[in-house]
Short mmCIF file of all heavy atoms in Angstrom, two decimals:
data_model
loop_
_atom_site.label_atom_id
_atom_site.label_comp_id
_atom_site.label_asym_id
_atom_site.label_seq_id
_atom_site.Cartn_x
_atom_site.Cartn_y
_atom_site.Cartn_z
N GLU X 7 -36.58 -32.44 -79.84
CA GLU X 7 -37.28 -31.21 -79.43
C GLU X 7 -38.50 -31.38 -78.69
O GLU X 7 -38.75 -30.78 -77.60
CB GLU X 7 -37.53 -30.39 -80.61
CG GLU X 7 -36.26 -29.62 -81.12
CD GLU X 7 -36.59 -28.49 -82.15
OE1 GLU X 7 -37.79 -28.23 -82.36
OE2 GLU X 7 -35.66 -27.79 -82.42
N VAL X 8 -39.27 -32.39 -79.23
CA VAL X 8 -40.57 -32.79 -78.49
C VAL X 8 -40.25 -33.25 -77.10
O VAL X 8 -40.91 -32.76 -76.14
CB VAL X 8 -41.28 -33.78 -79.23
CG1 VAL X 8 -42.47 -34.46 -78.49
CG2 VAL X 8 -41.77 -33.22 -80.63
N ARG X 9 -39.39 -34.07 -76.92
CA ARG X 9 -38.99 -34.64 -75.51
C ARG X 9 -38.43 -33.59 -74.65
O ARG X 9 -38.81 -33.53 -73.50
CB ARG X 9 -37.88 -35.66 -75.75
CG ARG X 9 -37.65 -36.60 -74.59
CD ARG X 9 -36.76 -37.70 -74.82
NE ARG X 9 -36.54 -38.46 -73.56
CZ ARG X 9 -37.01 -39.72 -73.41
NH1 ARG X 9 -37.75 -40.26 -74.32
NH2 ARG X 9 -36.76 -40.24 -72.19
N LEU X 10 -37.64 -32.62 -75.20
CA LEU X 10 -37.19 -31.54 -74.41
C LEU X 10 -38.32 -30.60 -73.93
O LEU X 10 -38.32 -30.34 -72.68
CB LEU X 10 -36.18 -30.70 -75.27
CG LEU X 10 -35.60 -29.39 -74.61
CD1 LEU X 10 -34.75 -29.73 -73.49
CD2 LEU X 10 -34.90 -28.52 -75.76
N HIS X 11 -39.27 -30.30 -74.78
CA HIS X 11 -40.41 -29.42 -74.39
C HIS X 11 -41.34 -30.11 -73.36
O HIS X 11 -41.77 -29.49 -72.53
CB HIS X 11 -41.11 -28.84 -75.55
CG HIS X 11 -40.31 -27.89 -76.30
ND1 HIS X 11 -39.91 -26.67 -75.96
CD2 HIS X 11 -39.79 -28.00 -77.66
CE1 HIS X 11 -39.32 -26.07 -76.77
NE2 HIS X 11 -39.13 -26.80 -77.84
N VAL X 12 -41.48 -31.41 -73.56
CA VAL X 12 -42.30 -32.21 -72.66
C VAL X 12 -41.74 -32.14 -71.22
O VAL X 12 -42.36 -31.96 -70.30
CB VAL X 12 -42.53 -33.63 -73.21
CG1 VAL X 12 -43.02 -34.49 -72.07
CG2 VAL X 12 -43.36 -33.72 -74.37
N CYS X 13 -40.35 -32.28 -71.27
CA CYS X 13 -39.67 -32.17 -69.95
C CYS X 13 -39.79 -30.89 -69.36
O CYS X 13 -40.10 -30.76 -68.15
CB CYS X 13 -38.23 -32.41 -70.43
SG CYS X 13 -37.18 -33.05 -69.08
N LEU X 14 -39.65 -29.75 -70.14
CA LEU X 14 -39.79 -28.38 -69.56
C LEU X 14 -41.32 -28.06 -69.21
O LEU X 14 -41.47 -27.51 -68.11
CB LEU X 14 -39.37 -27.37 -70.53
CG LEU X 14 -37.89 -27.33 -70.78
CD1 LEU X 14 -37.53 -26.38 -71.95
CD2 LEU X 14 -37.11 -26.97 -69.60
N ASP X 15 -42.17 -28.73 -69.97
CA ASP X 15 -43.71 -28.51 -69.58
C ASP X 15 -43.98 -29.13 -68.17
O ASP X 15 -44.80 -28.68 -67.49
CB ASP X 15 -44.59 -29.20 -70.65
CG ASP X 15 -44.63 -28.28 -71.95
OD1 ASP X 15 -44.22 -27.12 -71.81
OD2 ASP X 15 -45.09 -28.84 -72.96
N ALA X 16 -43.24 -30.29 -67.94
CA ALA X 16 -43.52 -30.96 -66.67
C ALA X 16 -42.60 -30.36 -65.65
O ALA X 16 -42.54 -30.93 -64.55
CB ALA X 16 -43.14 -32.45 -66.88
N ARG X 17 -41.84 -29.31 -65.94
CA ARG X 17 -40.91 -28.70 -65.02
C ARG X 17 -39.89 -29.61 -64.49
O ARG X 17 -39.50 -29.64 -63.31
CB ARG X 17 -41.61 -28.00 -63.78
CG ARG X 17 -42.63 -26.93 -64.19
CD ARG X 17 -43.28 -26.28 -62.98
NE ARG X 17 -44.54 -25.55 -63.23
CZ ARG X 17 -44.63 -24.33 -63.92
NH1 ARG X 17 -43.50 -23.78 -64.18
NH2 ARG X 17 -45.67 -23.81 -64.09
N ARG X 18 -39.46 -30.49 -65.36
CA ARG X 18 -38.35 -31.46 -65.07
C ARG X 18 -37.12 -30.93 -65.72
O ARG X 18 -37.07 -30.17 -66.57
CB ARG X 18 -38.69 -32.82 -65.58
CG ARG X 18 -39.48 -33.62 -64.61
CD ARG X 18 -39.61 -35.08 -65.07
NE ARG X 18 -40.63 -35.30 -66.22
CZ ARG X 18 -40.38 -35.60 -67.42
NH1 ARG X 18 -39.11 -35.81 -67.81
NH2 ARG X 18 -41.30 -35.69 -68.33
N ASP X 19 -36.00 -31.38 -65.01
CA ASP X 19 -34.73 -30.84 -65.52
C ASP X 19 -34.24 -31.71 -66.65
O ASP X 19 -34.14 -32.95 -66.56
CB ASP X 19 -33.61 -31.01 -64.27
CG ASP X 19 -32.35 -30.46 -64.73
OD1 ASP X 19 -31.97 -30.31 -65.88
OD2 ASP X 19 -31.61 -30.11 -63.82
N PRO X 20 -34.15 -31.15 -67.87
CA PRO X 20 -33.78 -31.95 -69.12
C PRO X 20 -32.44 -32.67 -68.91
O PRO X 20 -32.20 -33.60 -69.56
CB PRO X 20 -33.77 -30.87 -70.21
CG PRO X 20 -33.70 -29.57 -69.59
CD PRO X 20 -34.25 -29.71 -68.17
N PHE X 21 -31.59 -32.10 -68.09
CA PHE X 21 -30.23 -32.76 -68.03
C PHE X 21 -30.32 -34.03 -67.01
O PHE X 21 -29.35 -34.61 -66.79
CB PHE X 21 -29.17 -31.77 -67.53
CG PHE X 21 -29.04 -30.62 -68.49
CD1 PHE X 21 -29.17 -29.36 -68.05
CD2 PHE X 21 -28.66 -30.85 -69.81
CE1 PHE X 21 -29.08 -28.26 -68.97
CE2 PHE X 21 -28.54 -29.85 -70.64
CZ PHE X 21 -28.74 -28.52 -70.25
N ASP X 22 -31.47 -34.23 -66.56
CA ASP X 22 -31.67 -35.54 -65.74
C ASP X 22 -32.22 -36.61 -66.71
O ASP X 22 -32.29 -37.73 -66.26
CB ASP X 22 -32.75 -35.25 -64.70
CG ASP X 22 -32.16 -34.58 -63.52
OD1 ASP X 22 -30.96 -34.58 -63.37
OD2 ASP X 22 -32.98 -33.98 -62.69
N ASP X 23 -32.53 -36.25 -67.95
CA ASP X 23 -33.03 -37.23 -68.79
C ASP X 23 -31.91 -37.82 -69.63
O ASP X 23 -31.27 -37.21 -70.44
CB ASP X 23 -34.04 -36.60 -69.80
CG ASP X 23 -34.74 -37.56 -70.74
OD1 ASP X 23 -34.11 -38.51 -71.28
OD2 ASP X 23 -36.00 -37.41 -70.95
N ALA X 24 -31.62 -39.18 -69.40
CA ALA X 24 -30.41 -39.70 -69.92
C ALA X 24 -30.47 -39.69 -71.52
O ALA X 24 -29.45 -39.52 -72.10
CB ALA X 24 -30.30 -41.19 -69.43
N GLU X 25 -31.65 -39.87 -72.00
CA GLU X 25 -31.73 -39.89 -73.59
C GLU X 25 -31.49 -38.56 -74.05
O GLU X 25 -30.79 -38.34 -75.19
CB GLU X 25 -33.10 -40.42 -73.98
CG GLU X 25 -33.24 -41.86 -73.74
CD GLU X 25 -34.42 -42.41 -74.64
OE1 GLU X 25 -34.63 -41.85 -75.72
OE2 GLU X 25 -35.15 -43.22 -74.12
N LEU X 26 -31.96 -37.48 -73.46
CA LEU X 26 -31.68 -36.04 -73.95
C LEU X 26 -30.21 -35.84 -73.84
O LEU X 26 -29.55 -35.24 -74.75
CB LEU X 26 -32.45 -35.09 -73.15
CG LEU X 26 -33.93 -34.98 -73.33
CD1 LEU X 26 -34.63 -33.99 -72.44
CD2 LEU X 26 -34.28 -34.72 -74.80
N VAL X 27 -29.68 -36.17 -72.80
CA VAL X 27 -28.20 -35.97 -72.49
C VAL X 27 -27.38 -36.73 -73.50
O VAL X 27 -26.39 -36.19 -74.15
CB VAL X 27 -27.81 -36.31 -71.09
CG1 VAL X 27 -26.29 -36.32 -70.93
CG2 VAL X 27 -28.42 -35.33 -70.05
N ALA X 28 -27.71 -37.97 -73.87
CA ALA X 28 -26.99 -38.84 -74.76
C ALA X 28 -27.12 -38.17 -76.16
O ALA X 28 -26.16 -38.12 -76.88
CB ALA X 28 -27.51 -40.16 -74.83
N TRP X 29 -28.33 -37.69 -76.52
CA TRP X 29 -28.49 -37.11 -77.90
C TRP X 29 -27.63 -35.79 -77.89
O TRP X 29 -26.97 -35.61 -79.07
CB TRP X 29 -29.97 -36.87 -78.06
CG TRP X 29 -30.29 -36.51 -79.52
CD1 TRP X 29 -30.61 -37.30 -80.55
CD2 TRP X 29 -30.22 -35.07 -80.11
NE1 TRP X 29 -30.74 -36.65 -81.66
CE2 TRP X 29 -30.63 -35.32 -81.49
CE3 TRP X 29 -30.00 -33.90 -79.65
CZ2 TRP X 29 -30.65 -34.29 -82.33
CZ3 TRP X 29 -30.15 -32.83 -80.49
CH2 TRP X 29 -30.54 -33.00 -81.86
N LEU X 30 -27.64 -35.08 -76.93
CA LEU X 30 -26.88 -33.80 -76.98
C LEU X 30 -25.39 -34.10 -77.05
O LEU X 30 -24.65 -33.40 -77.76
CB LEU X 30 -27.15 -32.96 -75.74
CG LEU X 30 -28.42 -32.19 -75.77
CD1 LEU X 30 -28.62 -31.56 -74.33
CD2 LEU X 30 -28.36 -31.07 -76.79
N ASP X 31 -24.94 -35.10 -76.29
CA ASP X 31 -23.58 -35.48 -76.46
C ASP X 31 -23.16 -35.91 -77.81
O ASP X 31 -22.06 -35.64 -78.20
CB ASP X 31 -23.35 -36.68 -75.41
CG ASP X 31 -21.88 -36.96 -75.26
OD1 ASP X 31 -21.09 -36.04 -74.92
OD2 ASP X 31 -21.41 -38.12 -75.59
N ALA X 32 -24.18 -36.44 -78.56
CA ALA X 32 -23.81 -36.85 -79.88
C ALA X 32 -24.03 -35.84 -80.89
O ALA X 32 -23.60 -35.95 -82.15
CB ALA X 32 -24.71 -38.11 -80.26
N HIS X 33 -24.56 -34.67 -80.50
CA HIS X 33 -24.83 -33.67 -81.43
C HIS X 33 -24.30 -32.30 -80.69
O HIS X 33 -25.21 -31.46 -80.43
CB HIS X 33 -26.26 -33.48 -81.73
CG HIS X 33 -26.82 -34.59 -82.52
ND1 HIS X 33 -27.27 -35.89 -81.85
CD2 HIS X 33 -27.02 -34.91 -83.83
CE1 HIS X 33 -27.61 -36.69 -82.68
NE2 HIS X 33 -27.54 -36.20 -83.92
#
Side-chain angles (χ1 to χ4, degrees):
Chain X
E7 281 198 358
V8 169
R9 195 175 176 105
L10 175 67
H11 289 297
V12 166
C13 206
L14 291 172
D15 285 348
R17 301 187 197 281
R18 278 190 276 113
D19 188 334
F21 300 120
D22 284 340
D23 186 318
E25 284 198 39
L26 288 178
V27 170
W29 193 87
L30 280 171
D31 189 55
H33 297 82

